[in-house]
């Protein structure tokens, strides 16, 4: 049963009779890496337009462009103003949106580029990691209804109080696409990338990985949040809340080999992210995710008394630092103990700053930290009803000599923290263990 009981389960596209599907198409960085690839993207768009479908396109910056912009900001000053960071890094998408509109026009298609603020895509004020609050978009909808293709910059919006450009966090164009699909009531949100779907694990690490024809919102949410960067976590959350169908497919499949979105055939290629009730064939484990951007912090000889955990984790939460796994040792003498936990690797310097202040207040404790750790996760909704998945996992890792530093679980996921050097071996081992490469 779906956790969202009562939510209407869609049965197909084009439910409103006589209406051609309304599609949002998103193209990631590798798909728009140069003008030739932008022409290829335009051919995908043209196919949909010629079939009579209404199309809004969301584009990322050219591959590597955002990294370059971020590097320039950091070079300018390691401690920089978040609003100016956004002013710089949002520019990558402006280039590709304009170029795609130009190419589409040159093919005889009515198209216009839109920057986030022009739509407008309204966000909160958390610059660099902003969340979309609203997409009023009446003008956009009118133009789409008239058959004009809208090419919209992904990854960005506008923070209305200060009237500043904001960005949604790395990989945020996926979220722009899903949010727009929800706002314009699209039938489908197609995410075109450099792989032809969501695989049982990253196909770059395990060549035997298999494409999943369908994956549930819940599993995809865990995959994304545990490190599978094929979709930004927030985009899956949004799709799940609004029951928006998302399909992941490759822009490198020749445009003429892809059938225009059609109620009868749309689910024959790529991976559909959908309600679990729509998935007939269920496995216990659906996929393996890994995250290398992890850091481990250990507090040694910290007082073992009520209120200590709150005193440590409260200030970290106040600083907006997400703590993931937490392990507290049994105290041998009843007076002091050790606590180990993980944060995102990029948050480590800030976390250490906060903890130094905590240590000064609580009485000294030692702090050890390391960036050389990775998290590997096994995900599957079948775990709700099957015991023994964790035991098998720990045994297989043990047999490969991989030491587990911390463990965390949810109803449909088991994650272990291990030495970063073993991350790929662990992913391959677990992929084999659960026979995910088999048909
Ligand atoms: P884009 O630039 O199109 O947004 P990304 O690089 O963000 O593309 O995401 C696509 C990449 O995600 C793939 O190239 C692949 O290496 C990686 N990836 C990680 N886990 C998976 C998975 N389970 N299935 C497919 N791709 C995955
Ligand atoms: N260009 C942005 C990034 O590289 C957003 C995206 O591609 O989704 O993070
Ligand atoms: Mg991406």
């Amino acid at each position: 049963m779906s956790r969202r009981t009562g939510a209407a389960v869609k049965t197909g596209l084009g439910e409103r009779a006589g209406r051609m599907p309304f599609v949002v198409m998103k193209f990631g960085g590798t798909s728009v890496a140069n003008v030739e690839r932008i022409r290829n993207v335009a051919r995908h768009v043209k196919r949909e337009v010629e079939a009579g479908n209404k199309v809004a396109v969301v584009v990322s910056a050219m591959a590597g462009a955002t990294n370059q912009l971020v590097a320039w900001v950091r070079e300018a000053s390691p401690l920089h103003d978040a609003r100016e960071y956004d002013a710089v890094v949002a520019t990558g998408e402006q280039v590709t949106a304009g170029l795609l509109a130009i190419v589409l026009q040159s093919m005889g298609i009515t198209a216009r580029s839109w920057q986030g603020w022009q739509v407008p895509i309204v966000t909160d004020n958390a610059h660099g990691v902003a969340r979309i609050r609203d997409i009023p978009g009446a003008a956009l909808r009118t133009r789409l209804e008239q058959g004009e293709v809208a090419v919209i910059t992904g990854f960005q919006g506008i923070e209305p109080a200060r009237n500043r450009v904001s960005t949604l966090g790395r990989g945020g164009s996926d979220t722009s696409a899903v949010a727009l699909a929800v706002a314009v009531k699209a039938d489908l949100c197609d995410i075109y990338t450099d792989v032809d779907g969501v695989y049982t694990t990253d196909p770059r690490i395990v060549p035997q990985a298999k494409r999943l024809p369908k994956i549930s919102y819940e599993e995809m949410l865990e995959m994304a949040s545990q490190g599978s960067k094929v979709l930004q976590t927030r985009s899956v959350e949004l799709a799940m809340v609004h029951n928006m169908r998302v399909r992941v497919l490759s822009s490198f499949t020749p445009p003429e080999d892809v059938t225009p979105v059609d109620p009868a055939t749309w689910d024959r290629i790529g991976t559909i992210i959908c309600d679990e009730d729509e998935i007939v064939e269920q496995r216990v484990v659906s996929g393996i995710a890994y995250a290398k951007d992890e850091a481990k912090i250990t507090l040694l000889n910290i007082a073992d008394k009520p209120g200590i955990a709150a005193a440590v984790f409260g200030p970290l939460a106040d600083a907006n630092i997400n703590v993931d796994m937490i392990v507290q040792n049994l105290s041998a003498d009843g007076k002091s103990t050790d606590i180990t936990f993980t944060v995102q690797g990029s948050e480590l310097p800030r976390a250490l700053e906060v903890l130094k202040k905590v240590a000064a207040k609580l009485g000294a404790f030692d702090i050890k930290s390391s960036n050389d750790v990775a998290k590997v996760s096994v995900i599957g909704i079948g775990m709700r009803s099957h015991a023994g998945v964790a035991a098998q996992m720990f045994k297989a890792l043990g047999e490969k000599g991989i030491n587990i530093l911390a463990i965390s679980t949810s109803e449909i996921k088991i994650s272990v923290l291990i030495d970063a050097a073993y991350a790929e071996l662990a992913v391959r081992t677990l992929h084999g263990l659960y026979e995910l490469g088999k048909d």
Side-chain angles (χ1 to χ4, degrees):
M1 249 325 262
S2 163
R3 262 196 272 143
R4 286 162 297 121
T5 39
V9 174
K10 288 187 181 178
T11 51
L13 299 182
E15 285 162 336
R16 279 155 280 181
R19 183 176 159 279
M20 295 309 284
F22 194 155
V23 192
V24 171
M25 306 170 80
K26 179 256 168 176
F27 295 89
T30 21
S31 305
V32 292
N34 52 46
V35 174
E36 195 193 327
R37 290 207 181 151
I38 291 176
R39 278 193 216 290
N40 174 63
V41 162
R43 286 196 284 274
H44 281 286
V45 175
K46 185 167 187 243
R47 177 192 66 233
E48 299 301 326
V49 173
E50 287 182 343
N53 293 335
K54 297 211 181 316
V55 183
V57 188
V58 172
V59 285
S60 287
M62 288 181 180
T66 311
N67 287 347
Q68 175 65 79
L69 295 166
V70 171
W72 281 333
V73 171
R74 290 196 180 135
E75 187 187 337
S77 170
L79 285 178
H80 44 259
D81 183 302
R83 275 171 266 164
E84 298 312 332
Y85 167 94
D86 278 354
V88 176
V89 301
T91 57
E93 274 73 10
Q94 298 185 21
V95 175
T96 45
L99 289 174
L100 179 57
I102 291 171
V103 172
L104 285 168
Q105 289 168 0
S106 75
M107 290 173 161
I109 295 168
T110 316
R112 185 58 63 201
S113 73
W114 298 69
Q115 293 178 22
W117 62 267
Q118 290 171 308
V119 173
I121 296 176
V122 179
T123 76
D124 64 14
N125 63 4
H127 282 276
V129 287
R131 281 185 162 234
I132 297 174
R133 288 268 175 258
D134 188 22
I135 305 185
L140 176 76
R141 263 193 296 268
T142 310
R143 304 268 281 271
L144 290 168
E145 288 299 342
Q146 289 164 353
E148 183 173 297
V149 174
V151 185
I152 301 151
T153 53
F155 179 54
Q156 57 205 270
I158 183 156
E159 192 276 297
R162 291 201 188 97
N163 205 23
R164 306 285 321 177
V165 168
S166 52
T167 66
L168 309 179
R170 298 306 306 270
S173 297
D174 299 326
T175 301
S176 310
V178 175
L180 274 156
V182 170
V184 301
K185 298 191 173 60
D187 295 282
L188 179 64
C189 181
D190 267 347
I191 307 279
Y192 285 82
T193 181
D194 54 1
V195 278
D196 64 351
V198 176
Y199 278 67
T200 45
T201 194
D202 189 342
R204 289 181 210 288
I205 300 236
V206 183
Q208 296 81 6
K210 283 262 170 315
R211 179 174 60 83
L212 296 162
K214 286 185 175 176
I215 183 169
S216 68
Y217 292 119
E218 283 89 346
E219 287 169 314
M220 193 64 234
L221 193 57
E222 288 283 12
M223 291 276 277
S225 62
Q226 300 310 317
S228 298
K229 70 167 188 166
V230 61
L231 287 176
Q232 198 197 34
T233 306
R234 178 83 184 122
S235 71
V236 187
E237 240 167 50
L238 266 182
M240 179 162 144
V241 168
H242 296 280
N243 218 17
M244 173 55 64
R245 285 160 186 284
V246 174
R247 181 169 68 161
V248 176
L249 60 174
S250 171
S251 70
F252 297 107
T253 307
E256 57 281 7
D257 291 353
V258 181
T259 319
V261 172
D262 177 303
T265 56
W266 70 283
D267 56 355
R268 301 227 177 119
I269 57 164
T271 296
I272 319 285
I273 328 279
C274 59
D275 203 277
E276 66 181 81
D277 298 347
E278 293 182 47
I279 303 172
V280 184
E281 220 180 292
Q282 285 292 357
R283 300 195 204 219
V284 178
V285 171
S286 299
I288 317 280
Y290 69 95
K292 286 189 171 162
D293 181 31
E294 295 283 313
K296 179 181 72 147
I297 300 175
T298 302
L299 310 181
L300 294 157
N301 298 320
I302 187 164
D304 189 16
K305 58 181 189 195
I308 283 293
V312 170
F313 295 114
L316 287 169
D318 292 343
N320 259 327
I321 297 171
N322 235 339
V323 172
D324 184 17
M325 302 166 134
I326 304 177
V327 184
Q328 179 171 339
N329 288 353
L330 274 181
S331 92
D333 57 4
K335 289 186 187 141
S336 65
T337 186
D338 302 339
I339 303 178
T340 296
F341 58 93
T342 62
V343 297
Q344 251 197 19
S346 53
E347 297 282 30
L348 182 59
R350 279 203 321 125
L352 293 177
E353 280 300 307
V354 171
L355 290 167
K356 270 186 214 147
K357 287 186 197 139
V358 174
K361 261 200 202 155
L362 284 188
F365 53 80
D366 294 326
I367 306 173
K368 275 204 322 195
S369 67
S370 147
N371 257 320
D372 291 336
V373 287
K375 188 172 56 170
V376 176
S377 308
V378 166
I379 292 141
I381 39 179
M383 279 187 221
R384 285 194 199 127
S385 48
H386 279 77
V389 178
Q392 275 181 312
M393 176 182 189
F394 302 155
K395 182 162 176 271
L397 294 175
E399 282 168 3
K400 293 280 178 193
I402 301 172
N403 192 28
I404 298 173
L405 308 169
I407 301 168
S408 72
T409 63
S410 79
E411 208 187 6
I412 64 162
K413 172 211 81 182
I414 305 157
S415 301
V416 293
L417 191 72
I418 59 172
D419 267 357
Y422 292 113
E424 293 179 9
L425 175 63
V427 171
R428 277 196 291 271
T429 302
L430 297 173
H431 197 266
L433 172 69
Y434 300 111
E435 302 187 329
L436 298 181
K438 284 203 178 152
D439 286 319

